[in-house]
């Protein structure tokens, strides 16, 4: 072990685009952690993966990676770091599937918990009148879905991409085209098991330890590590009717979207995206739509116009196909899309939900998945979406070739305002997601261009007084975080003081800094 210590006290140089982050490893870290009795193990060498994420722009090497086998491994490590007190610089980050964009699941010189190793308890489906599933916080949603489908059940609320962990999406919100009906994923959780920043293991729900339950949902990993979650289920449909239609008029597009999300009889999933001078492959990464019937600029002469694509699905079982078709016809007859642009497909529920993975496989094979992703996700109040669109589409952005631009409405009343998630203060607000990619790891110009565009969009919102909120927020100063949380900051900070008083957890979010005092 002593030679390990010496090896470990070398200086790591970590190249980060736009600068160099230097991390000097603390030689006492391995010895103090190595004394812990764990069922899993701590790795002090093989740590570089924990310094990477989907954003591919921020890299901070940890001192150690914990591969927990049980919840008590996680509790033991956090308790140990807590007991070291403020004289230690050590922090701890749970890493789900590492699909953060700006180092949120990293811990510079700290301990990263590889949550996917935690399998204790397995995934247990409980059928019955109010079905639910209990699963590990490190489990991928795709695996939860596969297990639930064996029982004819499925979670109600989703993200567009399922290769993300339960703990990772519940720490943000978990939004997709079902959220207008069921709320985000954080509105569909009955219970959590959490290890706090003091190393205590607590079960929480709206009835038990309710403050911790609400704090952790949308809590950006600040209050504890989610080790298990109990998630609401519903009967899974066999099939999905998947429809895309195009609009050239933004007002008709959003008015139809808003009509659909408030109608009693409506679709099961509603999203939308913006197409500006579209060419090339990158924009197809989400187009796992039936290849015989895709929305492709080549098939439809857009005449240089900006187009808006409304995407909807209707769930059905094979023996109810006729009824479903009638309902879909009735709904479509109420919409004002360009008549020649109705694209339809029928796929299994699993194929639909796992659609982005198909694109991932394609992009990986072309080396286009592990590139920098300067994404920007905004929640825009419904009353300002037109002002936003007029300035951003066509003026700030002259094409959408660097990646998809999603745009769809959500309803505030489906969100639980006791959670930590922050949204605009209007019943209807829009998710607008600029999902840009650089064309390669060395495409610094492309990255810079996308980042500048993001800044311009943010600047415009500020100048125009649009009270937007960032989703998957990223800020560098506590002042900005305070502005993000607004009048909820005090409660957020108060809860932090209770559940993670030394600010050990999720340092990569950059909200609180561990105060280190020399002993
Ligand atoms: P990580 O990136 O590993 O972690 C995220 C944060 O949560 C970190 O701060 C981490 O410390 C913390 N954390 C992780 N696990 C736990 C835990 N068990 N307990 C406490 N804290 C924890 N989001 C949507 O809402 N809707 C979408 O449709 C959507 N689509 C996406 C598509 C792609 C291709 C990608 C890359 C991301 C998408 N996201 C979407 C964003 C995604 O929800 C977040 O990036 C999420 O954090 C990723 O989960 P993860 O498991 O990779 O978490």
């Amino acid at each position: 072990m002593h030679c390990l210590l010496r090896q470990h006290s070398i200086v790591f140089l970590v190249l980060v685009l736009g600068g160099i982050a230097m991390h000097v490893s603390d030689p006492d870290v391995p010895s103090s952690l190595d004394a812990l009795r764990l069922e899993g193990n701590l790795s002090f060498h093989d740590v570089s993966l924990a310094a990477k994420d989907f954003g591919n722009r921020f890299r901070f090497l940890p001192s150690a990676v914990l591969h927990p086998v049980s919840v008590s491994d996680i509790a033991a490590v956090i308790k140990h770091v807590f007991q070291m007190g403020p004289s230690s610089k050590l922090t701890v980050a749970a890493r789900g599937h590492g699909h953060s964009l700006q180092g949120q699941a990293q811990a510079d010189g700290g301990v990263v918990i590889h949550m996917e190793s935690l399998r204790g308890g397995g995934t247990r489906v409980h059928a019955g009148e109010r079905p639910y599933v209990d699963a590990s916080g490190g489990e991928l949603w795709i695996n939860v879905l596969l297990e639930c489908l064996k029982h004819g059940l499925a979670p109600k609320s989703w993200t567009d991409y399922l290769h993300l962990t339960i703990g990772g999406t519940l720490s943000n919100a978990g939004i997709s085209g079902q959220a207008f009906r069921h709320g985000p994923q954080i509105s569909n959780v009955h219970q959590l098991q959490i290890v706090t920043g003091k190393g205590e293991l607590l079960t929480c729900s709206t009835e038990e330890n309710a403050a911790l339950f609400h704090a952790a949902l949308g809590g950006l990993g600040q209050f504890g590590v989610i080790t298990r979650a109990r998630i609401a289920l519903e009967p899974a449909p066999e099939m999905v009717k998947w429809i895309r239609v195009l609009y050239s008029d933004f007002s008709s597009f959003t008015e139809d979207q808003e009509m659909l999300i408030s109608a009693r009889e409506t679709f099961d999933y509603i999203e939308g995206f913006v197409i500006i001078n579209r060419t090339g492959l990158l924009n197809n990464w989400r187009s796992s739509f039936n290849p015989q019937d895709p929305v492709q600029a080549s098939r439809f002469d857009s005449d240089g116009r900006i187009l808006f694509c409304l995407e909807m699905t209707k769930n059905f079982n094979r023996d109810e196909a006729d009824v479903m078709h009638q309902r879909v016809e009735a709904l479509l007859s109420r919409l004002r899309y360009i008549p020649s642009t109705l694209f339809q497909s029928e796929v299994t529920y699993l194929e639909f939900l796992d659609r982005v993975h198909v694109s991932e496989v394609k992009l990986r094979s072309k080396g286009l998945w592990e590139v920098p992703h300067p994404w920007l996700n905004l929640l825009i109040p419904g009353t300002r979406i037109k002002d936003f669109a007029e300035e951003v589409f066509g003026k700030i952005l002259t094409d959408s070739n660097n990646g998809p631009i999603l745009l769809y409405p959500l309803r505030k009343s489906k969100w639980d305002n006791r959670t930590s998630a922050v949204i605009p203060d209007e019943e209807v607000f829009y998710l607008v997601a600029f999902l840009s990619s650089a064309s390669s790891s060395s495409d610094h110009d492309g990255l810079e261009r996308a980042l500048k565009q993001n800044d311009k969009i943010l600047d415009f919102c500020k100048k125009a007084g649009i009270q937007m909120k960032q989703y998957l927020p990223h800020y560098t100063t506590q002042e900005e975080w305070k502005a993000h949380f607004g009048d909820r900051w005090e409660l957020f900070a108060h809860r932090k003081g209770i559940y993670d008083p030394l600010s050990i957890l999720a340092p990569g979010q950059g909200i609180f800094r561990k105060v280190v005092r020399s002993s």
Side-chain angles (χ1 to χ4, degrees):
M1 182 33 85
H2 285 289
C3 83
L4 279 187
L5 289 182
R6 251 172 281 131
Q7 281 177 24
H8 203 73
S9 57
I10 56 171
V11 176
F12 291 106
L13 281 180
V14 189
L15 272 172
V16 180
L17 206 125
I20 295 175
M22 272 184 54
H23 156 60
V24 183
S25 184
D26 180 345
D28 293 337
V29 170
S31 59
S32 85
L33 288 170
D34 213 36
L36 294 172
R37 292 169 78 94
L38 303 172
E39 288 173 62
N41 64 80
L42 275 158
S43 164
F44 298 102
H45 287 295
D46 203 4
V47 296
S48 56
L49 204 71
K52 260 191 95 176
D53 60 29
F54 182 77
N56 241 311
R57 294 172 45 219
F58 292 76
R59 296 210 176 142
F60 299 104
L61 277 175
S63 291
V65 174
L66 170 67
H67 298 272
V69 165
S70 64
V71 172
S72 40
D73 285 350
I74 295 175
V77 167
I78 297 181
K79 185 170 250 161
H80 176 75
V81 175
F82 178 67
Q83 284 173 346
M84 288 167 92
S87 62
S88 159
K89 284 188 285 201
L90 265 193
T91 54
V92 179
R95 182 180 198 271
H97 205 45
H99 275 48
S100 286
L101 298 162
Q102 291 114 337
Q104 284 92 338
Q106 300 180 27
D108 190 9
V111 181
V112 167
I113 306 175
H114 183 255
M115 291 301 296
E116 283 184 73
S117 308
L118 179 70
R119 287 280 147 83
T123 301
R124 287 165 190 261
V125 176
H126 299 258
E129 228 172 88
R130 285 186 71 212
Y132 62 84
V133 58
D134 283 324
S136 161
E139 192 54 90
L140 295 178
W141 282 96
I142 178 67
N143 296 335
V144 175
L145 173 62
L146 291 173
E147 194 55 36
C148 293
L149 286 177
K150 291 180 193 163
H151 303 259
L153 297 165
K156 299 175 179 179
S157 187
W158 291 102
T159 47
D160 293 348
Y161 174 65
L162 308 189
H163 297 247
L164 306 168
T165 64
I166 291 190
T169 71
L170 294 185
S171 296
N172 285 295
I175 313 173
S176 186
Q178 302 85 1
F180 80 93
R181 292 172 63 217
H182 297 295
Q185 290 180 324
I186 53 171
S187 294
N188 291 278
V189 180
H190 296 316
Q191 191 186 76
L192 296 172
Q193 187 191 55
I194 289 180
V195 177
T196 68
K198 299 190 238 177
E200 303 160 305
L201 177 63
L202 296 174
T203 299
C204 57
S205 65
T206 48
E207 278 90 43
E208 184 182 9
N209 296 313
L212 176 60
F213 181 69
H214 293 126
L217 293 170
L220 305 173
Q222 296 304 303
F223 308 100
V225 174
I226 299 169
T227 49
R228 270 187 99 63
R230 177 166 292 179
I231 294 151
L233 301 178
E234 64 180 1
E238 291 167 359
M239 300 291 294
V240 159
K241 177 89 175 170
W242 190 0
I243 300 163
R244 284 177 177 172
V245 292
L246 295 179
Y247 292 73
S248 54
D249 178 46
F250 186 73
S251 296
S252 310
F253 168 65
T254 49
E255 280 163 26
D256 280 359
Q257 280 188 321
E258 291 189 28
M259 181 275 290
L260 288 174
I261 65 159
S262 44
R264 238 156 55 93
E265 170 63 41
T266 189
F267 289 101
D268 294 298
Y269 158 102
I270 296 166
E271 286 202 5
F273 51 93
V274 184
I275 304 164
I276 313 171
N277 271 337
R278 196 172 97 168
T279 52
L281 163 90
L282 273 178
N283 220 4
N284 279 340
W285 75 278
R286 302 176 85 254
S287 283
S288 36
F289 206 63
N290 183 341
Q292 275 94 53
D293 203 7
V295 174
Q296 275 182 350
S298 59
R299 288 249 186 118
F300 171 77
D301 185 3
S302 67
D303 208 14
R305 284 172 299 177
I306 298 172
L307 295 172
F308 306 98
C309 179
L310 173 57
E311 179 175 59
M312 308 146 278
T313 69
K314 192 79 180 161
N315 300 339
F316 67 102
N317 291 329
R318 287 186 184 85
D319 59 359
E320 306 156 349
D322 289 346
V323 183
M324 179 278 295
H325 284 129
Q326 284 165 18
R327 288 191 179 145
V328 166
E329 284 301 312
L331 284 168
L332 289 176
S333 70
R334 298 174 64 188
L335 304 180
R336 289 169 292 166
Y337 56 88
I338 305 167
S340 59
T341 64
L342 171 63
F343 302 94
Q344 309 190 57
S345 177
E346 283 176 21
V347 293
T348 65
Y349 194 46
L350 176 60
E351 279 173 306
F352 172 69
L353 289 178
D354 202 24
R355 62 200 177 279
V356 174
H357 184 56
V358 177
S359 311
E360 174 187 353
V361 171
K362 273 192 228 156
L363 288 177
R364 274 191 192 282
S365 72
K366 295 181 159 59
L368 292 173
W369 185 256
E370 295 200 3
V371 294
H373 291 104
W375 286 11
L376 179 68
N377 287 271
L378 304 177
L379 302 173
I380 306 285
T383 54
R384 302 301 307 274
I385 193 66
K386 211 169 163 210
D387 302 336
F388 181 87
E390 268 171 16
E391 179 66 21
V392 175
F393 308 132
K395 288 191 194 162
I396 296 179
L397 294 183
T398 48
D399 65 57
S400 56
N401 292 320
N402 293 335
I405 303 169
L406 310 188
L407 191 149
Y408 60 90
L410 297 157
R411 296 172 60 193
K412 182 173 170 231
S413 49
K414 298 285 175 181
W415 293 61
D416 185 337
N417 64 9
R418 295 167 298 179
T419 69
S420 293
V422 181
I423 57 176
D425 192 16
E426 284 189 16
E427 172 57 10
V428 174
F429 60 94
Y430 281 77
L431 172 72
V432 188
F434 301 92
L435 307 181
S436 319
S437 305
S439 60
S440 71
S441 298
S442 54
D443 176 17
H444 302 313
D445 290 349
L447 176 58
E448 283 303 320
R449 231 182 354 262
L451 291 171
K452 272 198 189 124
Q453 272 177 349
N454 290 351
D455 285 346
K456 276 191 191 163
I457 294 167
L458 292 172
D459 251 22
F460 163 68
C461 289
K462 207 171 179 182
K463 287 196 185 113
I466 296 178
Q467 303 288 316
M468 61 82 185
K469 295 290 174 192
Q470 281 190 31
Y471 179 57
L472 312 173
H474 174 66
Y475 294 108
T476 49
T477 67
Q478 199 171 73
E479 284 315 303
E480 289 171 308
W481 279 111
K482 282 183 185 170
H484 172 76
F485 283 102
D487 57 9
R488 303 175 66 184
W489 168 256
E490 267 183 37
L491 179 62
F492 193 83
H494 171 73
R495 285 170 166 173
K496 180 73 172 175
I498 295 173
Y499 298 112
D500 181 23
L502 294 183
S503 296
I504 288 168
L505 298 175
Q509 297 280 3
I511 307 174
F512 300 97
R513 238 168 204 282
K514 187 171 184 185
V515 179
V516 182
R517 288 186 215 109
S518 45
S519 47

